[in-house]
């Protein structure tokens, strides 16, 4: 039940052909098995996937379908039980813990549903935080943090603490923090899950803009309108990819996908 | 090369970041931090106060010895702690003046020596004024030089006074004042008991003394050594000697012991019936006592540091579980295990250092308190720099030792689990 349609076939705009040298992420038959007692849960059950530079992907699926597990594997927070995962052409399955930490620091930006800002630090300090674990000096750190905060539209909120910020602003700070190291890929696990629809729209517009600026983005969501900001929608079910289609903002296409999903589920 | 240079730099930055974070944590939980470090505060405060008191006492004794002279040697009878004379009456082992005759010829390292006697307390009177309880001592002229007490008026006792057993005396200025003697009282006569003595000199005021000088109220009168035997037939004799330099004081002691064993007819193998102490020797004895006191205090402090350390460990474990999500986040954005370990270890150490700082502060307060208690010889108490170093060294070690387990626990957390915490 592997469905891997090529993107180029269905979109009219020029999409980068999946080439090995251009791919940011390459998964080959990745499995993640949890052992709970004697039971084995296949959270990821053989996922093969290729993401190219400047792609904008939404991952959808029912709760428990393995979206978060996939994101954790992509974000090098978790190791696949088996299979191959190449990040920027490097095989992560053979990396040491320290090398994975470094990969997380330099290549991956992670945005969480519940923001995960440190309450006692200002927005600026929160954004600077990942750079502490890199090789940058104090001055570069400050400069880059200010720069990226301005990019997400929070130039006037730098000294604020998280409890002095609205939900949307908090998520912007979190996005700035994810971007500050200049990651190859931005991973967001339900970034709008804790936000109302209007604020969500604002956040999604920010993602759109980042994408236009050349950022590769993967967003997990179960909301249609959020997913439709992306260019490509991956549907997951029981740890497998069940559909991988280009998204389109016109309604017809959306219903087509919905039908597709219903077809898969029935 | 660049990598080699960069590695310590990255660590240094991590280090100062961690210190900064840790101070922030301590500041954010002020009350908790103070209560946690109470054990360390008490431990450090008491150990610094004890060290301060001991150092003060030592400094005091040293200044005393400086006024006596560091090459002074004290010789006195002592019952041995073994052998047949163990329970002998003190009287039987007393010094006789002739035990020391010819000592200088046999002891090349000894520059001079002087015998002295304590005759007892007498009532001294001049015309109708009289002063009770004046201590009378018989001394040989050499004692003047050895004790280096200057005569401010008149002359010191001389060898001729000694040989002729003259009834002359030297008084101290307090007595001169109490007896309402003239400013220039040389040649005037006073009554000591029922004997008439002529004053030949007045001493300089006596410096305060740690030993034997506790009784500052009573005055002293010095008469020639031999004359003192006219006052009382049998007297205790003590001897002060002086080595040629402080460096040869050990040789001088050995020579004196050898000489005295012969003059006192002690057979080989039998224990000494006297003791020969140099100032250096006294200092060693003091240091020995100080070491014991220090070790006892150290043991007590060790226990309080241990208790303090367990408190630190407890609070760090609380901190780790409170901040599980933070740890998860830090790992997610690229913190290595070592970075998390360093952060929490440094936090524990900083906590302990804060305790150490307060401890030294309280120690200083205690020291000031001790130094201001009247009538005990601790007014020179001070906290030496090495004690402060020691205090911080110890509290730092406690931090590292007891912070290690929580820090390892934090470093080992799985980032996904940690982020899912609560
Ligand atoms: N730590 C874990 N131990 C055991 N099972 C887990 C663990 N994490 C996730 N799972 C299981 O893996 C499956 C996928 O979970 P997840 O990726 O969180 O789903 P989603 O994010 O799509 O809702 C679920 O069935 C879940 O119960
Ligand atoms: Mg999820």
């Amino acid at each position: 039940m592997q469905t891997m349609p090529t993107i180029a076939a269905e979109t009219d705009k020029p999409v980068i052909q999946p080439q090995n040298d251009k791919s940011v992420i390459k998964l080959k038959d990745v499995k993640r098995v949890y052992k709970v007692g004697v039971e084995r849960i296949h959270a990821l059950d053989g996922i093969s996937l290729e993401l190219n530079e400047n792609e904008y992907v939404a991952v959808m699926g029912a709760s428990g379908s393995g979206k978060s597990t996939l994101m954790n594997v992509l974000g090098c927070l978790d190791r696949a039980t088996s299979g191959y995962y190449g990040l920027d052409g490097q095989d992560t399955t053979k990396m040491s813990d320290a090398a994975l930490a470094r990969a997380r620091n330099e290549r991956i930006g992670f945005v969480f549903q519940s923001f995960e800002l440190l309450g006692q630090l200002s927005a600026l300090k929160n954004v600077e935080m990942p750079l502490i674990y890199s090789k940058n000096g104090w001055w570069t750190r400050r400069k880059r943090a200010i720069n990226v905060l301005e990019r997400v539209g929070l130039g006037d909120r730098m000294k604020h603490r998280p409890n002095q910020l609205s939900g949307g602003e908090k998520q912007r700070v979190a996005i700035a923090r994810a971007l500050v190291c200049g990651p190859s890929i931005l991973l967001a696990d339900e970034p709008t899950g804790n936000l109302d629809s209007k604020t969500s729209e604002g956040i999604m517009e920010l993602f759109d803009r980042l994408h236009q600026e050349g950022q590769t983005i993967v967003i997990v969501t179960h909301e249609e309108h959020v997913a439709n900001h992306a260019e490509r929608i991956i549907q997951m079910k029981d740890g497998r990819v069940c559909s991988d289609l280009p998204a389109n903002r016109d309604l017809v296409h959306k219903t087509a996908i919905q039908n597709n999903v219903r077809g898969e589920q029935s | 090369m660049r990598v080699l240079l960069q590695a310590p730099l990255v660590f240094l930055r991590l280090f100062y970041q961690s210190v900064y974070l840790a101070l922030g944590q301590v500041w954010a939980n002020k009350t908790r931090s103070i209560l946690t470090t109470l054990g360390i505060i008490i431990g450090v405060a008491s150990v610094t106060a004890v060290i301060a008191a001991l150092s003060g006492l030592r400094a005091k004794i040293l200044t005393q010895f400086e006024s006596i002279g560091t090459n002074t040697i004290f010789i006195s009878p002592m019952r041995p702690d073994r052998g047949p004379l163990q329970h002998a009456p003190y009287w039987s082992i007393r010094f006789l003046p002739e035990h020391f005759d010819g000592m200088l010829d046999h002891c090349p390292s000894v520059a001079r020596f002087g015998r002295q006697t304590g005759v007892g307390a007498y009532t001294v009177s001049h015309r109708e004024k009289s002063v009770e309880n004046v201590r009378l001592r018989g001394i040989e002229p050499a004692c003047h030089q050895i004790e280096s007490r200057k005569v401010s008026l008149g002359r010191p006792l001389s060898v001729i006074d000694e040989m002729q057993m003259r009834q002359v005396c030297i008084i101290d200025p307090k007595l001169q004042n109490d007896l309402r003697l003239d400013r220039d009282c040389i040649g005037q006569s006073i009554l000591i008991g029922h004997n008439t003595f002529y004053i030949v000199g007045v001493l300089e005021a006596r410096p305060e003394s740690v030993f034997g000088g506790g009784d500052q109220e009573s005055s002293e009168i010095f008469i020639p050594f031999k004359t003192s035997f006219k006052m009382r037939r049998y007297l205790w004799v003590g001897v002060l000697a002086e080595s040629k330099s402080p460096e040869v004081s050990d040789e001088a002691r050995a020579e004196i012991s050898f000489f005295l064993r012969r003059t006192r007819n002690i057979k080989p193998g039998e224990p000494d019936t006297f003791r020969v102490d140099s100032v250096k020797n006294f200092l060693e004895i003091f240091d020995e006592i100080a070491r014991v006191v220090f070790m006892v205090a150290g043991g007590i402090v060790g226990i309080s540091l241990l208790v303090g350390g367990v408190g630190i460990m407890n609070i760090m474990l609380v901190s780790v579980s409170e901040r599980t999500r933070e740890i998860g986040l830090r790992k997610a954005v690229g913190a290595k295990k070592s970075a998390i370990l360093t952060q929490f270890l440094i936090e524990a150490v900083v906590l302990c250092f804060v305790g150490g700082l307060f401890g030294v502060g309280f120690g200083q307060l205690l020291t000031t308190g001790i130094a201001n208690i009247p009538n005990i010889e601790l007014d020179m108490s001070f906290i030496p720099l090495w004690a402060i170093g020691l205090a911080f060294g110890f509290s730092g070690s406690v931090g590292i030792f007891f912070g290690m387990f929580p820090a390892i626990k934090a470093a080992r957390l799985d980032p996904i689990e940690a982020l899912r915490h609560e």
Side-chain angles (χ1 to χ4, degrees):
Chain A
M1 81 161 263
Q2 207 98 341
T3 42
M4 280 276 289
T6 51
I7 299 155
E10 301 212 9
T11 40
D12 42 6
K13 57 179 177 179
V15 170
I16 312 132
Q17 284 289 325
Q19 287 168 351
N20 278 354
D21 52 327
K22 276 281 183 186
S23 72
V24 179
I25 280 172
K26 193 168 185 171
L27 298 182
K28 266 193 219 152
D29 197 30
V30 166
K31 295 188 178 174
R32 179 68 175 92
V33 183
Y34 290 111
K35 276 186 207 150
V36 180
V38 285
E39 210 181 337
R40 297 169 132 247
I41 298 168
H42 293 256
L44 297 181
D45 196 12
I47 293 208
S48 298
L49 202 61
E50 202 159 324
L51 296 183
N52 294 323
E53 215 168 85
N54 201 20
E55 265 202 281
Y56 191 4
V57 181
V59 178
M60 297 187 75
S63 176
S65 56
K67 307 181 296 292
S68 294
T69 310
L70 176 65
M71 290 302 258
N72 290 339
V73 170
L74 289 181
C76 296
L77 286 169
D78 200 2
R79 285 173 189 272
T81 314
S82 68
Y84 169 87
Y85 169 27
L87 174 64
D88 284 338
Q90 282 169 290
D91 184 1
T92 63
T93 52
K94 293 194 176 66
M95 282 186 184
S96 67
D97 281 356
L100 278 184
R102 194 159 161 202
R104 285 200 293 271
N105 187 243
E106 290 172 356
R107 299 179 196 280
I108 287 163
F110 221 112
V111 179
F112 305 91
Q113 179 176 358
S114 46
F115 323 129
E116 306 295 345
L117 299 177
L118 297 184
Q120 70 271 37
L121 300 183
S122 67
L124 187 64
K125 293 267 181 212
N126 264 294
V127 173
E128 270 186 10
M129 207 257 288
L131 291 168
I132 292 172
Y133 303 108
S134 71
K135 290 196 183 72
N136 296 284
W138 177 84
W139 181 241
T140 344
R141 231 158 50 212
R142 189 47 56 94
K143 245 179 11 197
R144 281 171 69 172
I146 291 173
N147 193 347
V148 76
L149 268 171
E150 276 164 356
R151 249 174 90 197
V152 301
L154 286 179
D156 54 346
R157 295 282 195 281
M158 295 193 200
K159 290 275 173 286
H160 290 232
R161 295 219 176 163
N163 58 8
Q164 298 163 322
L165 296 170
S166 73
E169 286 168 334
K170 278 188 215 172
Q171 196 56 297
R172 279 166 197 270
V173 173
I175 292 168
R177 183 182 59 198
L179 290 174
V180 76
C181 287
S184 323
I185 186 158
L186 184 64
L187 302 172
D189 193 351
E190 307 202 28
T192 59
N194 281 5
L195 302 173
D196 59 70
S197 53
K198 196 161 160 282
T199 324
S200 299
E201 209 46 46
I203 294 293
M204 289 319 295
E205 273 159 26
L206 174 60
F207 276 115
D208 291 349
R209 219 182 64 229
L210 294 172
H211 170 241
Q212 275 155 29
E213 287 167 12
Q215 185 67 52
T216 315
I217 301 174
V218 178
I219 291 181
V220 167
T221 182
H222 46 250
E223 289 167 287
E224 290 284 326
H225 66 96
V226 170
N228 280 326
H229 280 265
E231 292 173 336
R232 176 179 166 190
I233 297 181
I234 295 172
Q235 292 279 355
M236 285 186 69
K237 196 184 169 203
D238 298 332
R240 288 163 184 265
V241 174
C242 66
S243 94
D244 188 345
L245 296 170
N248 213 318
R249 279 170 210 207
D250 72 65
L251 216 82
V252 188
H253 209 99
K254 218 185 327 183
T255 28
I257 295 165
Q258 274 173 332
N259 290 341
N260 193 343
V261 175
R262 292 214 186 91
E264 289 280 345
Q265 280 168 343
S266 58
Chain B
M1 193 62 210
R2 260 189 74 118
V3 176
L4 272 182
L5 275 172
Q6 241 166 14
L9 268 176
V10 169
F11 182 78
L12 210 70
R13 186 156 56 240
L14 201 66
F15 183 82
Y16 113 85
Q17 285 287 347
S18 302
V19 171
Y20 181 83
L21 274 171
L23 284 173
Q25 280 295 323
V26 171
W27 187 247
N29 309 307
K30 284 176 277 290
T31 325
R32 190 167 94 176
S33 304
I34 294 292
L35 288 178
T36 307
T37 53
L38 211 57
I40 292 188
I41 293 175
I42 293 170
V44 167
S46 45
V47 77
T48 43
V50 167
I51 292 176
L54 288 177
S55 318
L57 201 56
R58 192 172 198 278
K60 183 93 181 178
I61 290 170
L62 266 176
T63 50
Q64 283 301 314
F65 281 140
E66 250 145 48
S67 72
I68 299 171
T70 40
N71 41 6
T72 305
I73 292 170
F74 306 87
I75 311 166
S76 48
M78 187 193 65
R79 243 181 357 204
D81 51 11
R82 59 192 170 85
L85 287 173
Q86 201 174 355
H87 303 294
Y90 277 112
W91 188 244
S92 66
I93 55 163
R94 73 187 193 278
F95 285 150
L96 299 175
E98 54 269 27
H99 287 158
F100 297 88
D101 288 341
M103 187 163 90
L104 282 187
D105 303 331
H106 291 90
C107 302
S109 301
V110 178
R112 59 182 70 83
F113 74 96
R115 286 165 276 209
Q116 54 176 317
T117 56
V119 189
Y122 281 80
T123 302
V124 179
S125 52
H126 175 69
R127 299 209 181 106
E128 60 274 11
K129 285 298 300 180
S130 70
V131 176
E132 288 177 15
N133 217 9
V134 177
R135 283 182 296 143
L136 185 63
R137 283 169 67 192
I139 58 168
E140 285 187 321
C143 292
H144 278 297
Q145 287 159 290
I146 298 169
E147 279 195 277
S148 54
R149 287 186 66 182
K150 301 244 157 42
V151 173
S152 57
L153 191 70
R155 62 165 178 86
L157 295 173
S158 69
V159 185
I160 307 195
D161 296 331
E162 187 68 38
M163 275 158 51
Q164 298 182 352
M165 289 199 262
R166 284 181 179 169
Q167 304 258 78
V168 293
C169 68
I170 294 179
I171 61 173
D172 68 5
K174 187 172 181 302
L175 186 66
Q176 179 186 19
N177 194 37
D178 290 347
L179 285 177
R180 300 271 141 64
L181 287 161
D182 298 336
R183 186 87 69 76
D184 181 13
C185 56
I186 305 301
Q188 292 188 329
S189 66
I190 53 171
L191 271 177
I192 302 175
H194 302 292
N195 303 297
T196 307
F197 280 79
Y198 290 93
I199 299 169
V200 294
V202 179
L203 283 169
E204 274 184 348
R206 185 170 50 161
E208 267 185 70
S209 168
V210 179
F211 341 87
D215 190 5
Q216 295 290 320
E217 299 307 308
S218 64
S219 297
E220 282 182 309
I221 288 191
F222 297 93
I223 57 175
F225 179 71
K226 280 192 181 151
T227 315
S228 66
F229 285 87
K230 288 207 288 194
M231 304 289 288
R232 293 248 298 266
R233 182 73 187 81
Y234 299 106
L235 282 174
W236 280 99
V237 176
V239 178
L240 284 179
E242 200 176 84
S243 59
K244 288 196 167 129
S245 71
E247 288 75 44
V248 297
S249 77
D250 283 340
E251 285 91 324
R253 282 174 58 212
E255 288 160 11
I256 291 169
S257 289
F258 185 79
F259 175 77
L260 275 181
R261 282 181 73 87
R262 214 182 51 207
T263 55
R264 281 164 72 78
N265 282 323
I266 301 170
K267 306 218 161 39
E270 279 178 21
D272 288 347
T273 55
F274 57 89
R275 57 187 298 164
V276 184
D277 299 302
S278 64
V279 165
K280 206 174 126 203
N281 191 232
F282 269 129
L283 266 187
E284 279 163 13
I285 291 170
F286 174 80
D287 284 345
E288 189 66 38
I289 294 167
R291 209 169 299 132
V292 172
V293 173
F294 186 74
M295 266 154 64
V296 171
I300 295 165
V301 165
I303 291 167
S304 84
L305 283 184
L306 200 76
V307 173
V310 173
I312 296 284
M313 178 145 84
N314 182 40
I315 217 69
M316 288 311 294
L317 284 172
V318 170
S319 183
V320 168
S321 73
E322 266 180 2
R323 287 153 68 198
T324 304
R325 282 179 89 92
E326 178 189 329
I327 296 163
L329 173 74
R330 285 180 186 277
K331 287 194 145 185
V333 301
K336 296 188 174 90
K337 269 185 184 172
S338 55
I340 302 290
L341 187 90
T342 318
Q343 184 189 332
F344 279 87
L345 210 51
I346 286 178
E347 198 169 310
V349 172
V350 165
L351 202 58
C352 288
F353 272 174
V354 169
L357 202 67
F358 274 95
V360 170
F362 279 117
Q364 181 58 57
L365 278 182
L366 277 179
T367 307
T368 318
I370 290 171
N372 285 322
I373 301 173
N375 290 331
I376 57 167
E377 305 291 342
L378 291 171
D379 52 308
M380 283 173 79
S381 298
F382 69 103
I383 302 177
L385 225 53
W386 62 263
I388 294 174
L390 193 78
F392 279 101
F394 263 113
S395 36
S397 320
V398 165
I400 290 177
F401 187 78
F402 288 97
M404 193 53 97
F405 173 62
I408 289 176
K409 207 177 160 205
R412 284 214 184 133
L413 280 177
D414 176 59
I416 301 166
E417 295 285 317
L419 279 168
R420 217 182 273 147
H421 189 254
E422 271 171 340

